[in-house]
Amino acid sequence: MTTTTKTTLTTTERTDLLEALAKQRHFLRFTTRDLTDEQAGQRTTDSELCLGGLIKHVTSMERGWVDFIQQGPSAMGDFTAMTEADWAKRADEFRMLPGETLAGVLADYAETADRTDELVAALPDLDAAHPLPKAPWFEGDAQWSARRVLLHIIAETAQHAGHADIIRESLDGAKSMG
């Protein structure tokens, strides 16, 4: 029987988490291959979503959760106190705004991904946890560990990669797989 130290398990776990996240990031980015800025901002379904906006949202989501890992709930703010203007500003992350380019959106996503990967590699403990920020969609007394946050980032990236695949297929028939 082989014995494994906690350090080895943690390193393997970090590698597995980062590889899973990298795979989902790839699928999300792949949906934008060979597109113009105009196409990246185009809505192709009844949804408000466009490919560039989805990548902006995933970038913002990942950045916010990484800040949460480092700083706790204060990094994300109190969602229950958001005004209509705050929600309108948040909605801008789901669309390409005038002057934004697909290349710029993808570069911002790559920077955020690099920051996340560096943090995960350097975290002393994936079990370190913080209370969740105030939001109607969170339980009032719940806490998430760094591990749980990373699993959430992976799940949300995968979910939006699926959305992106539908949008891209509606745009020009291109598919990520199949």
Side-chain angles (χ1 to χ4, degrees):
M1 178 174 187
T2 305
T3 59
T4 307
T5 65
K6 184 174 181 176
T7 303
T8 303
L9 286 175
T10 302
T11 302
T12 301
E13 180 180 21
R14 289 168 201 258
T15 300
D16 289 348
L17 289 167
L18 290 174
E19 285 178 3
L21 182 54
K23 182 176 185 176
Q24 298 311 316
R25 287 176 182 148
H26 164 76
F27 284 126
L28 179 58
R29 285 189 307 261
F30 189 67
T31 62
T32 67
R33 68 195 179 284
D34 304 321
L35 292 182
T36 66
D37 294 337
E38 181 181 4
Q39 289 171 311
Q42 186 176 339
R43 290 178 45 209
T44 62
T45 67
D46 287 338
S47 168
E48 294 288 326
L49 301 174
C50 66
L51 292 171
L54 272 174
I55 292 173
K56 284 176 56 179
H57 168 66
V58 171
T59 301
S60 175
M61 173 275 305
E62 186 170 322
R63 186 180 298 129
W65 281 111
V66 167
D67 289 345
F68 171 84
I69 289 171
Q70 294 179 303
Q71 303 164 29
S74 64
M76 298 181 91
D78 180 348
F79 290 97
T80 64
M82 288 178 65
T83 66
E84 283 188 38
D86 294 330
W87 286 111
K89 183 178 177 185
R90 185 173 169 90
D92 284 344
E93 75 181 33
F94 289 93
R95 59 182 152 260
M96 297 277 290
L97 300 176
E100 291 181 328
T101 65
L102 179 56
V105 168
L106 289 169
D108 193 31
Y109 188 38
E111 286 177 26
T112 298
D114 288 346
R115 177 178 171 236
T116 300
D117 293 352
E118 289 170 9
L119 173 70
V120 171
L123 280 174
D125 184 3
L126 292 176
D127 291 325
H130 296 290
L132 290 172
K134 289 184 183 179
W137 50 86
F138 291 134
E139 296 174 27
D141 58 352
Q143 291 194 4
W144 279 9
S145 67
R147 177 183 297 99
R148 177 67 182 92
V149 169
L150 290 169
L151 291 169
H152 177 73
I153 292 170
I154 293 165
E156 189 155 338
T157 303
Q159 178 180 13
H160 289 309
H163 294 147
D165 201 33
I166 292 167
I167 293 168
R168 178 61 191 259
E169 187 173 357
S170 298
L171 179 67
D172 62 5
K175 300 177 185 179
S176 295
M177 296 189 297

